[in-house]
Amino acid sequence: TYALEIEGLLKNYGDGFQALKGIDLRVAEGDFFALLGPNGAGKSTTLGIVSSLVNKTAGKVRVFGHDMDTDLSRAKLSLGVVPQEFNFNQFEKAFDVVTTQAGYYGIPLRQAKASAEKYLKKLGLWDKRDTPARMLSGGMKRRLMIARALVHEPKLLILDEPTAGVDIELRRSMWQFLEDINRQGTTIILTTHYLEEAEALCRNIAIIDRGEIIRNTSKRDLLQQL
Ligand code: ADP
Ligand code: ADP
């Protein structure tokens, strides 16, 4: 089974704009995969559909074989999502942002707390655990989003432009962190408009432009042909 399978994905927004024109994509379990493309190409729309924040117009999406139309709750359990916008409760403490999310997955409180501790430590946020989320810097908020997305130990982590607006030093430490969890078995998909980021991290790269996948290949082949 694939970590993610997308077949014939179409998205027409309410204004009639065709943002996705029938996308096919397969991401193998264990992969580190980039969806690379310019602004407006349809990256966020694609990830929005996979994370059920955006309704699709047509097509199939399966997460570890679980069809999102018929088996949504199991698909969601396998999936952690880091959207671009900080959509946590800004008034909650960092620690509570993470444990609250665990509650949505029905994780017992003791386990939720242990998991929150593990990921806040790994992401260098443990000394900020009692700080209200709104008081954190942009880079810290970004890392808090990642800790929250991992609290239920998903097998697939999806990040939308994870290092947008992040300084170079933090970008490198986030790359390191993502490489570590990929090595430990988590499949990772990220969107980016930086070739450099896809090149630094990913094994396979799909290029999306104006709602269509125009290339889908290994990084090695892509770089040889550039
Ligand atoms: P859906 O088809 O998923 O219901 P809508 O077309 O209803 O989406 O739009 C959702 C929201 O996004 C609306 O509030 C809309 O105003 C806003 N929106 C419209 N155009 C754009 C755009 N080009 N980029 C981002 N957001 C947009
Ligand atoms: P990317 O993430 O690659 O920058 P998006 O998926 O955000 O691209 O957007 C793809 C296209 O869909 C863009 O042309 C954008 O303006 C349009 N779009 C995004 N959201 C909406 C919306 N809610 N309503 C109408 N058009 C939208």
Side-chain angles (χ1 to χ4, degrees), residues 11-225:
K11 174 62 182 177
N12 300 330
Y13 278 106
D15 57 6
F17 180 76
Q18 208 174 36
L20 299 178
K21 300 171 183 166
I23 279 186
D24 298 304
L25 216 53
R26 285 197 172 85
V27 179
E29 190 164 357
D31 204 353
F32 202 137
F33 189 96
L35 186 59
L36 174 70
N39 285 323
K43 303 182 296 296
S44 296
T45 299
T46 304
L47 295 200
I49 291 169
V50 174
S51 50
S52 44
L53 300 168
V54 175
N55 295 319
K56 60 184 159 65
T57 303
K60 280 273 161 219
V61 179
R62 283 184 286 268
V63 178
F64 287 97
H66 304 300
D67 189 315
M68 292 195 62
D69 292 326
T70 56
D71 203 2
L72 182 62
S73 58
R74 267 191 285 178
K76 278 187 166 177
L77 273 177
S78 314
L79 184 66
V81 181
V82 182
Q84 271 187 63
E85 48 316 333
F86 302 133
N87 60 358
F88 45 69
N89 179 345
Q90 300 271 345
F91 295 94
E92 264 184 330
K93 294 175 180 174
F95 189 81
D96 299 340
V97 166
V98 182
T99 55
T100 299
Q101 181 76 9
Y104 299 139
Y105 295 103
I107 296 171
L109 188 60
R110 188 198 301 204
Q111 194 184 328
K113 286 181 171 175
S115 185
E117 180 173 342
K118 171 176 162 187
Y119 286 108
L120 288 173
K121 282 182 173 166
K122 279 194 183 196
L123 285 152
L125 287 172
W126 184 239
D127 59 342
K128 301 289 179 189
R129 60 190 177 279
D130 291 326
T131 304
R134 75 191 142 84
M135 306 286 284
L136 299 174
S137 71
M140 289 174 188
K141 287 178 182 172
R142 182 74 56 199
R143 283 178 282 152
L144 181 59
M145 294 286 291
I146 297 175
R148 187 184 67 168
L150 289 169
V151 70
H152 59 302
E153 311 263 355
K155 291 193 289 180
L156 171 61
L157 179 67
I158 296 187
L159 309 101
D160 196 3
E161 300 267 359
T163 63
V166 163
D167 68 52
I168 186 74
E169 202 172 321
L170 178 56
R171 181 174 302 166
R172 288 194 197 286
S173 77
M174 284 174 58
W175 287 359
Q176 184 76 59
F177 173 80
L178 295 174
E179 281 176 333
D180 286 348
I181 63 168
N182 177 246
R183 213 171 292 124
Q184 287 158 28
T186 308
T187 307
I188 298 184
I189 302 174
L190 57 79
T191 71
T192 184
H193 60 274
Y194 299 116
L195 177 62
E196 182 201 280
E197 181 157 82
E199 200 184 323
L201 287 173
C202 299
R203 278 193 287 286
N204 291 297
I205 299 177
I207 301 180
I208 183 169
D209 188 30
R210 281 167 276 183
E212 292 180 284
I213 301 289
I214 57 169
R215 294 291 303 276
N216 188 351
T217 181
S218 68
K219 173 174 70 183
R220 191 186 308 160
D221 287 351
L222 183 69
L223 293 180
Q224 274 171 4
Q225 288 160 19

